[in-house]
């Protein structure tokens, strides 16, 4: 499909070459912008230009190297590819060291140019996507931690703000990992109760013998082992908010007691007949549909109706996929700061995983994935970090060429740019090696370093 891969600016003062170049790029799926001068190219470029620039070096008025300097001043991340004649190779090598994306020697092979442009285009798309995500994280900072622009999230934030400062109890419904405690915390923080305690209790994490004491409290001697008086969570949250997670797991006997507390706003600790008045707001959370008798099981219907004054539903991540990239960017930035790591750029493989995965663990699973990426444990699922994966969209022959060129460049780097040692290291004939250098536009002298391939494993 024409234009599927985005724009490419092709600059050459050879008027006879431009139509053929434009047709080649269009057939390859790009949106070609062919111009005959550097000045015309600059008129089409700004910091939001979504593609690479290809330019011949030798042109009148402003040459390709001068154009490269001007483009770099606009945005250093715009991939710039130089087309060089034999006499310009050293200039091109210097430009590579100065930040040019690649150079290709004349006469160039179409396949070689397209492999480079596919990689460059993907690279540019990822750069702009990372920028957009970082900007979105900054713009949405006031909405944290309920980040997202999906209509369902906009509705959720508006609903929370609308009911936060009321004294009604709230039932929060959502799958595991969607952020039910986050919603409960916001209901507390955005209310006049925010200066009082926010107390959380997971009803599914404690046995029945413990949860009753945790919730209602007990007096000294109320039962074996009760050596001291204990204030229950209901009483401790007085004036504030009590968050009961996994309310569906509460034992039936305790459901009756909780229902009475909700109706009377009084609590009776174990071991005493004394009732104490409390002013507490209850936010209960469940991962099942309590309105459905089959899903509700032994959860009391009257308690459900008492809690169901206001119900807030949190959408699963798969139903708001447009929010996944920005959420991941937020979690990744937070994880990198926490672990003292440099902020990773989102790669093509990570992006594909974000889009293609169903995220059954929802936001919690996404945050854990960001932690693994930040730690360098996962550049993509089952792939080592740092892998160049922009070639995922290339054809098989393009992938083979890209891989072969990468191996050659790495070998030259290991062997200090020495051709003899590199051919021995790769076990290829010298003539074959030179043919491949010419095909991929690789200059051994550009790979000088202090390393030696004899030390490589």
């Amino acid at each position: 499909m024409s234009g599927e891969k985005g724009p490419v600016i092709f600059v050459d003062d050879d008027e006879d070459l431009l139509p053929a170049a434009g047709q080649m790029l269009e057939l390859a799926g790009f949106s070609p912008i062919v111009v005959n001068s550097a000045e015309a190219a600059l008129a089409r470029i700004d910091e939001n230009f979504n593609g690479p620039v290809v330019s011949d070096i030798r042109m009148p008025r402003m040459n390709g190297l001068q154009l490269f300097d001007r483009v770099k001043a606009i945005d250093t991340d715009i991939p710039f590819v130089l087309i060089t004649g034999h006499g310009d190779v050293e200039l091109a090598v210097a430009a590579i060291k100065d930040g040019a994306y690649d150079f290709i020697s004349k006469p160039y092979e179409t396949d070689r140019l397209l492999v480079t442009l596919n990689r460059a285009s993907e690279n540019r798309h990822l750069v702009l996507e990372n920028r957009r995500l970082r900007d979105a994280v900054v713009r949405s900072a006031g909405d944290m931690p309920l980040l997202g622009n999906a209509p369902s999230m906009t509705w959720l934030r508006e609903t929370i703000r609308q009911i936060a400062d009321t004294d009604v109890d709230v039932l929060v419904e959502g799958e595991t990992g969607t952020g039910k405690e986050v919603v409960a915390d916001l209901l507390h923080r955005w209310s006049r109760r925010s200066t009082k305690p926010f107390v959380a209790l997971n009803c599914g994490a404690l046995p029945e013998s413990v949860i009753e004491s945790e919730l209602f409290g007990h007096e000294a001697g109320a039962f074996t082992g009760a050596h001291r008086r204990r204030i229950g969570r209901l009483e401790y949250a007085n004036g504030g908010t009590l968050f009961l997670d996994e309310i569906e797991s509460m034992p039936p006997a305790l459901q009756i007691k909780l229902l009475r507390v909700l109706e009377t706003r009084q609590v009776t600790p174990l071991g005493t007949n004394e009732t104490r008045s409390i002013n507490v707001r209850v936010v209960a959370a469940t991962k099942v549909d309590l309105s459905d008798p089959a899903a509700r099981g032994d959860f009391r219907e009257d308690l459900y109706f008492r809690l169901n004054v206001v119900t807030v539903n949190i959408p699963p991540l798969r139903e708001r996929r447009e929010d996944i990239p920005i959420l991941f960017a937020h979690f990744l930035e937070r994880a990198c700061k926490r672990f003292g790591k440099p902020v990773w750029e989102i790669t093509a493989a990570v992006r594909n995983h974000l889009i293609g995965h169903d995220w059954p663990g929802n936001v919690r699973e996404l945050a854990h994935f960001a932690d693994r990426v930040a730690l360098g444990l996962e550049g993509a699922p089952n792939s080592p970090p740092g892998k160049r994966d922009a070639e995922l969209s290339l054809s098989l022959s393009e992938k083979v060429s890209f891989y072969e060129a990468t191996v050659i460049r790495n070998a030259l780097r290991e062997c200090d740019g020495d051709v003899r040692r590199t051919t021995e290291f790769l076990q290829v004939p010298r003539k074959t090696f030179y043919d491949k250098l010419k095909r991929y536009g690789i200059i051994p002298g550009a790979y000088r370093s202090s390393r030696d391939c004899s030390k490589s494993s």
Side-chain angles (χ1 to χ4, degrees), residues 72-94:
K72 189 169 61 172
I74 295 171
D75 186 346
T76 57
D77 291 322
I78 294 177
F80 200 97
V81 180
L82 289 162
I83 304 295
T84 69
H86 178 71
D88 299 320
V89 169
E90 294 303 322
L91 293 174
V93 171

Side-chain angles (χ1 to χ4, degrees), residues 252 255-256 259-260 262-263 296 298-308:
Q255 294 178 34
I256 300 174
L259 177 61
R260 180 170 179 79
L262 295 178
E263 290 176 341
R296 189 164 62 232
D298 59 3
F299 192 82
R300 293 180 62 93
E301 185 179 38
D302 50 0
L303 178 56
Y304 163 67
F305 287 129
R306 182 61 187 78
L307 289 170
N308 191 32

Side-chain angles (χ1 to χ4, degrees), residues 115-130:
V115 167
T116 297
L117 291 181
N118 272 299
R119 297 200 323 264
S121 179
E122 179 71 13
N123 177 275
R124 182 59 177 167
H125 294 166
L126 288 170
V127 165
L128 293 180
E129 183 175 357
N130 276 283

Side-chain angles (χ1 to χ4, degrees), residues 307-419:
L307 289 170
N308 191 32
V309 179
V310 175
T311 298
V312 175
N313 291 284
I314 308 176
L317 206 50
R318 64 181 176 276
E319 293 182 4
R320 55 182 185 111
R321 287 188 175 277
E322 63 266 44
D323 289 339
I324 292 175
I326 188 175
L327 280 167
F328 178 77
H330 164 63
F331 291 136
L332 184 60
E333 182 181 39
R334 189 178 66 178
C336 288
K337 288 180 179 178
R338 187 167 73 251
F339 300 135
K341 302 288 186 180
V343 177
W344 282 59
E345 297 292 304
I346 295 177
T347 65
V350 167
R351 183 189 61 189
N352 292 339
H353 182 61
L354 294 177
I355 294 172
H357 188 53
D358 281 339
W359 302 105
N362 293 292
V363 177
R364 184 183 297 126
E365 181 185 2
L366 183 64
H368 291 168
F369 178 66
D371 286 347
R372 294 196 301 274
V373 172
L375 289 169
L377 302 177
E378 197 158 16
N382 303 318
S383 299
K387 179 182 176 184
R388 286 293 302 272
D389 40 44
E391 74 273 22
L392 289 174
S393 61
L394 304 181
S395 68
L396 177 61
S397 63
E398 290 172 336
K399 289 180 180 179
V400 171
S401 296
F402 177 73
Y403 177 77
E404 186 175 53
T406 301
V407 170
I408 292 172
R409 290 188 176 99
N410 289 341
L412 281 167
R413 190 174 294 109
E414 292 289 325
C415 295
D416 197 30
D418 185 279
V419 171

Side-chain angles (χ1 to χ4, degrees), residues 177-367:
T178 50
K180 295 185 287 293
E181 186 166 356
V182 171
V183 170
D185 182 64
L186 286 178
L187 285 168
H188 176 73
R189 286 199 286 121
W190 291 351
S191 75
R192 65 174 68 94
R193 296 176 177 270
S194 60
T195 57
K196 299 296 183 179
F198 174 82
V199 181
L201 178 68
N202 189 317
C203 301
L206 298 172
E208 182 174 354
S209 58
V210 175
I211 191 173
E212 183 173 8
S213 173
E214 284 290 325
L215 192 59
F216 298 99
H218 64 258
E219 297 296 315
F223 51 84
T224 303
H227 301 297
R228 290 180 296 179
R229 178 172 180 258
R230 179 179 179 84
I231 301 296
R233 303 290 180 96
L234 278 162
E235 192 173 354
Y236 185 75
N238 190 35
T241 303
L242 175 67
F243 173 58
L244 298 176
D245 198 8
E246 297 189 30
I247 188 72
E248 72 277 5
S249 301
M250 179 174 283
L254 289 185
Q255 294 178 34
I256 300 174
K257 293 185 177 182
L258 177 62
L259 177 61
R260 180 170 179 79
V261 170
L262 295 178
E263 290 176 341
T264 64
R265 300 293 157 167
Q266 291 181 328
V267 63
T268 303
L270 297 175
T272 181
N273 293 323
E274 178 188 356
T275 59
R276 299 167 188 166
S277 296
I278 55 172
N279 172 18
V280 64
R281 181 191 207 174
V282 174
V283 178
T286 176
K287 60 179 179 292
V288 302
D289 182 5
L290 294 180
S291 66
D292 180 2
R296 189 164 62 232
D298 59 3
F299 192 82
R300 293 180 62 93
E301 185 179 38
D302 50 0
L303 178 56
Y304 163 67
F305 287 129
R306 182 61 187 78
L307 289 170
N308 191 32
V309 179
V310 175
T311 298
V312 175
N313 291 284
I314 308 176
L317 206 50
R318 64 181 176 276
E319 293 182 4
R320 55 182 185 111
R321 287 188 175 277
E322 63 266 44
D323 289 339
I324 292 175
I326 188 175
L327 280 167
F328 178 77
H330 164 63
F331 291 136
L332 184 60
E333 182 181 39
R334 189 178 66 178
C336 288
K337 288 180 179 178
R338 187 167 73 251
F339 300 135
K341 302 288 186 180
V343 177
W344 282 59
E345 297 292 304
I346 295 177
T347 65
V350 167
R351 183 189 61 189
N352 292 339
H353 182 61
L354 294 177
I355 294 172
H357 188 53
D358 281 339
W359 302 105
N362 293 292
V363 177
R364 184 183 297 126
E365 181 185 2
L366 183 64

